[in-house]
Structures are given as structure tokens and as C-alpha cells.
């Protein structure tokens, strides 16, 4: 019953004008800061780790901005799911680096869009699936009631979804080899057998090896990208990767991947998922960074 009520509330929120949804999000973000809830505490810890040169006051300000964007994403994403591509057409206000995307597509080798948890990645996925055939891994949400809504939204936009298992990865490789695009979020902690430690903001961080393996097996191209929240909608940004990401050496490739994520974050640090416990896994002998 609780989950059904949550789903009903989200579907009601989906009908709000974007500016109203974002205003409510800003209000919720302010409450998270006032009551010093866990997302704000975790963001402050991660920011202090990644930006040791920042003062405590600067970290608090950036953390507060992040809480505002986190809550705005919570309120605007149901609208994105409901509206689909038709509702996004007038909300994509600019595309920076479009020539990089077009050049990658023109090679016909398949393109991996590396999309950090920043801004609104649902917007980018919906937009990209209209530009070329898109095959993506899909991990159903823990809240089963949301699955049909999210899955339908992505598939109606043109994406082909495959499961996050060996069969799904094999399907993804075949799709890339025939020239499809895929979108992968690179900055969550992978299972131990699917990751390795690599520097991220100078911190040894458990990093997914999937992108390295896909590049090696498919011969595809890669691009960093994000959809940043701006007044009235979103701006899409494409950034080039460094050639090291294509290295046969896994450690070199993972370091380049994290370097690319850092470059995306630098575009708008306040829109990145600092509340996520990115550094839970530690190299042997190193203490936890979280209380």
C-alpha cells in the first residue's frame, strides 16, 4: 500500500509545470539542509575528501546547493517519464559538443555514452535514443511499482533494454558491433568481481571495469556526456575522452575513465551525486571514510 501511494504521488507530481516542480524541489532541498539529513551529511564528507583545498564554509554552501538539485531531480524526473521525448523537445535548450556525438556516430563503430550521475541522466537517455538505435542495460528499481512506468518511458523513446547479466552484456556487445549506441552510468560502486581500484579525485576508488571490457571487445567509441539543469529545461554537454581510455591496460583505462568523470563534474559540481557513498570500498588496510 505504501509503495502504491508513493507511485500515485509521483504520477500527480508528473503533471506539475516544470517550474513548479523545481520550486517544490528547492523547498525540500532547503529542509534537508536545515535538518542535516543523511544526504547533506554524506555530501559534506565526500566534498571534503574530493576538494581538500575548500574551506568548511565553502563545503557547506556547495553541499546546500547539491541538496537543492537533488530534490529538484526528485520532483522533475516523474515529469520526464510522463512527457517522454515529445515533452522534452522544447526543454532541451542547448547541445554543447554535438559535433563530437555526430562524429562518433558517423564512424559506425558503436558509441558508448558515459553518463555520470549528474543533472538529469534520464533526459539524456531519452534524447539519445531518438538520435540512433540505442541498446542499454536495465536494472529494475527496487520499488516494483515503478518498473513498468520507467521501462515503458525508455522503450517508447526507442531504447532496447537488456538485463544486467552476462546475457545482457553479450547483447550489448553485439549491438555496439552493429553500430548502436548505449548509455552507461560509470560512477556507482560495482560488485568486487566487476571493478578495480583507480584514482578518482586522487582517492583510490572501486571503479567499474565494464566500460573497459566493452571498448576492448567491441572496438566502439566513447564520449562523456551530461544533461545539466538550467532555467526552463536542460543543456546537454558532450566531452571527449582521452585516448588512454582505449588502452589495453585496464588500470590506465580506468584512470582515464575517472578523469573523464571529473571533467564532467567540473561543469557543475553542485549537480553531481555527492550524497552517494562512492568510497565505501577501501583498499586493504585503509579505514572507512564514513561514520
Amino acid at each position: 500500500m505504501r509503495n502504491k501511494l508513493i507511485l500515485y504521488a509521483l504520477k500527480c507530481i508528473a503533471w506539475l509545470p516544470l517550474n513548479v516542480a523545481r520550486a517544490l524541489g528547492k523547498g525540500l532541498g532547503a529542509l534537508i539542509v536545515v535538518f542535516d539529513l543523511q544526504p547533506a551529511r554524506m555530501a559534506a564528507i565526500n566534498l571534503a575528501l574530493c576538494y581538500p583545498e575548500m574551506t568548511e564554509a565553502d563545503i557547506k554552501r556547495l553541499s546546500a546547493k547539491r541538496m537543492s538539485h537533488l530534490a529538484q531531480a526528485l520532483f522533475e524526473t516523474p515529469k520526464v517519464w510522463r512527457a517522454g521525448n515529445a515533452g522534452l523537445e522544447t526543454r532541451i535548450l542547448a547541445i554543447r559538443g554535438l559535433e563530437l556525438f555526430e562524429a562518433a556516430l558517423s564512424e559506425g563503430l558503436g558509441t558508448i555514452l558515459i553518463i555520470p550521475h549528474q543533472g538529469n541522466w534520464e533526459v539524456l537517455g531519452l534524447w539519445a535514443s531518438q538520435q540512433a538505435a540505442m541498446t542499454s542495460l536495465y536494472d529494475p528499481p527496487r520499488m516494483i511499482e515503478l518498473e513498468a512506468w520507467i521501462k515503458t518511458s525508455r522503450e517508447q523513446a526507442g531504447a532496447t533494454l537488456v538485463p544486467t547479466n552476462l546475457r545482457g552484456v553479450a547483447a550489448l556487445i553485439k549491438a555496439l558491433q552493429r553500430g548502436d549506441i548505449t548509455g552507461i552510468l560509470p560512477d556507482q560502486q560495482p560488485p568486487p568481481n566487476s571493478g578495480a581500484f583507480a584514482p578518482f579525485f586522487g582517492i583510490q576508488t572501486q571503479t567499474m571495469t565494464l566500460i573497459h571490457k566493452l571498448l576492448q571487445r567491441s572496438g566502439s567509441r566513447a564520449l562523456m556526456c551530461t544533461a545539466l539543469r538550467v532555467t526552463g529545461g536542460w543543456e546537454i554537454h558532450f566531452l571527449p575522452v582521452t585516448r588512454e581510455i582505449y588502452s589495453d591496460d585496464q588500470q590506465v583505462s580506468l584512470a582515464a575513465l575517472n578523469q573523464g568523470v571529473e571533467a564532467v563534474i567540473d561543469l557543475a559540481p553542485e549537480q553531481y551525486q555527492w550524497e552517494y557513498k562512492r568510497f565505501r570500498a577501501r583498499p586493504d588496510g585503509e579505514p572507512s571514510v564514513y561514520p
Side-chain angles (χ1 to χ4, degrees):
M1 178 62 70
R2 181 181 65 89
N3 286 351
K4 288 182 179 179
L5 288 174
I6 291 173
L7 179 62
Y8 178 75
L10 291 174
K11 288 193 172 183
C12 288
I13 289 170
W15 288 94
L16 294 174
L18 183 61
N19 61 336
V20 174
R22 287 183 173 177
L24 291 172
K26 290 176 183 178
L28 176 59
L31 290 176
I32 294 173
V33 174
V34 168
F35 290 101
D36 195 27
L37 300 182
Q38 184 178 10
R41 296 196 302 272
M42 290 303 103
I45 291 171
N46 285 330
L47 286 167
L49 289 169
C50 294
Y51 297 103
E53 73 282 2
M54 291 180 67
T55 66
E56 184 176 350
D58 287 338
I59 287 172
K60 286 184 177 179
R61 279 192 289 270
L62 185 50
S63 176
K65 289 181 180 179
R66 170 56 196 158
M67 294 305 100
S68 177
H69 280 281
L70 169 63
Q72 286 181 71
L74 292 175
F75 275 86
E76 74 184 17
T77 299
K79 185 174 184 64
V80 171
W81 291 333
R82 183 188 68 82
N85 287 86
L88 289 178
E89 287 180 2
T90 60
R91 296 295 187 178
I92 305 296
L93 303 182
I95 302 177
R96 316 291 185 189
L98 179 61
E99 68 280 1
L100 297 173
F101 178 71
E102 292 174 339
L105 288 186
S106 69
E107 292 189 51
L109 299 174
T111 302
I112 300 174
L113 301 178
I114 303 173
I115 312 169
H117 284 82
Q118 185 185 34
N120 195 316
W121 49 93
E122 292 285 346
V123 169
L124 187 46
L126 291 176
W127 178 87
S129 64
Q130 290 292 292
Q131 313 309 311
M134 185 170 187
T135 301
S136 295
L137 297 174
Y138 176 68
D139 189 14
R142 293 179 182 177
M143 185 175 158
I144 297 173
E145 288 79 1
L146 275 178
E147 180 178 1
W149 193 13
I150 298 172
K151 192 169 185 287
T152 298
S153 173
R154 293 177 181 176
E155 290 180 334
Q156 284 181 346
T160 299
L161 304 180
V162 295
T164 54
N165 54 29
L166 290 176
R167 186 177 63 181
V169 172
L172 197 60
I173 292 170
K174 289 181 180 178
L176 288 169
Q177 288 174 336
R178 64 175 178 259
D180 282 12
I181 60 175
T182 189
I184 297 179
L185 283 71
D187 49 358
Q188 287 184 311
Q189 182 175 303
N193 61 349
S194 300
F197 284 99
F200 178 57
F201 282 98
I203 303 165
Q204 288 297 313
T205 306
Q206 187 80 344
T207 304
M208 68 157 56
T209 55
L210 175 62
I211 292 173
H212 168 70
K213 291 175 180 177
L214 288 175
L215 290 172
Q216 291 298 303
R217 295 186 62 180
S218 69
S220 298
R221 295 294 174 256
L223 282 176
M224 307 300 305
C225 47
T226 186
L228 297 180
R229 190 171 297 104
V230 297
T231 301
W234 297 269
E235 284 187 354
I236 291 176
H237 293 252
F238 291 100
L239 281 71
V241 296
T242 62
R243 65 178 182 275
E244 285 79 13
I245 201 170
Y246 300 107
S247 173
D248 295 341
D249 187 318
Q250 178 174 277
Q251 287 306 115
V252 172
S253 178
L254 296 188
L257 170 63
N258 284 343
Q259 182 183 353
V261 174
E262 291 178 28
V264 172
I265 292 171
D266 285 345
L267 294 174
E270 69 279 6
Q271 296 197 35
Y272 186 66
Q273 62 156 13
W274 297 111
E275 66 281 353
Y276 177 67
K277 293 183 179 180
R278 185 70 179 89
F279 308 111
R280 286 197 309 275
R282 307 302 304 135
D284 289 343
E286 292 196 15
S288 173
V289 299
Y290 302 115

